[in-house]
Structures are given as C-alpha cells and as structure tokens.
Amino acid sequence: MEIQKVGQIGIPVKDIGRAINFYQEKLDLPLMFNTDSMAFFDLNGLRLMLTLPENNQFDHPSSVLYFQVGDIKETYQEMLEKEVIFLDEPHVVTKIGHTETWMVFFRDSEENVHALMSEVEVG
C-alpha cells in the first residue's frame, strides 16, 4: 500500500447554501459543482468538499485548513473587506533560516476555524 497524496478534504457544514457563498465569494475558490447536500471546490487539484453531515458521527467542527497565500497582509485586507471574521492579525509564528512563516486565523460561515499562511524571505 502506498498513499500518494491527499485527494479530498471534507468540511461538515450546517447550511450548504451559506457555506457555498462563503467559500466561493469570500475565499474566491472555484466551485466545481454542488448538490442539495454537498459542494466541491478545486484547490489546484485538491478537492474541498463541503457537506451536510450524514449523521451525528460526522457532525463536528472540521480540521484547521491552512490556505497558502503569496501576500498574507494583502489577502487579510481583501478578506476583511468581504467581512470575514478573523481571530487575530497576521503575525510571525516561526523563523527558520531566512524564512518567516506568517499566519492569521479566521472563522468560516459554519464556525470552523481556518488559517491563511505565507512564507516570507527575510534578509
């Protein structure tokens, strides 16, 4: 057995229409297709599935997704203008050699916590 890559990530949602709007309009993710209970977005070959939980076993907050962006401060400002709710401001979480890793955490429309992250070369 050889696991090659992550092919899909599922996020449980409470309101599929509201969640589609958030991920499509606020995060600018391309919607592949949707049904009454699911929606699929393409993240450069990785599928992001929003789904109404099939049963109580799947009705819980999702894992934290870390969305890589080129300019975290610019993306943060754009998302603030779209009324995305952030838990903090962009900040350095670690520095390895000449690279700083920046993050900022936010909530989606379904109360799941996710993050933006950016790696910045410093002198």
Side-chain angles (χ1 to χ4, degrees):
M1 180 178 92
E2 179 182 337
I3 296 175
Q4 298 176 351
K5 67 177 185 174
V6 174
Q8 179 170 293
I9 296 173
I11 297 178
V13 301
K14 294 175 180 21
D15 182 319
I16 193 72
R18 180 178 64 199
I20 289 171
N21 182 64
F22 181 88
Y23 283 84
Q24 191 172 30
E25 301 299 323
K26 310 264 187 202
L27 300 186
D28 294 325
L29 299 183
L31 179 66
M32 296 170 64
F33 66 93
N34 64 285
T35 68
D36 291 342
S37 62
M38 295 183 287
F40 294 85
F41 293 87
D42 180 29
L43 288 144
N44 209 15
L46 174 67
R47 281 191 311 240
L48 181 63
M49 176 187 70
L50 307 180
T51 182
L52 295 173
E54 294 178 40
N55 56 48
N56 288 342
Q57 176 183 349
F58 297 107
D59 191 9
H60 56 80
S62 74
S63 298
V64 177
L65 299 181
Y66 294 82
F67 295 97
Q68 183 87 34
V69 297
D71 186 329
I72 195 166
K73 291 178 183 178
E74 180 180 312
T75 304
Y76 171 77
Q77 285 301 321
E78 290 172 4
M79 289 173 63
L80 273 178
E81 291 170 12
K82 294 179 180 182
E83 301 177 352
V84 172
I85 299 169
F86 283 91
L87 306 180
D88 53 5
E89 294 182 358
H91 59 280
V92 175
V93 294
T94 189
K95 181 177 179 183
I96 301 172
H98 296 286
T99 303
E100 291 178 342
T101 301
W102 286 69
M103 287 190 191
V104 61
F105 293 86
F106 64 94
R107 289 195 187 276
D108 71 6
S109 61
E110 309 306 296
E111 298 297 318
N112 295 302
V113 175
H114 301 305
L116 300 177
M117 67 178 289
S118 186
E119 294 181 337
V120 179
E121 291 294 318
V122 293

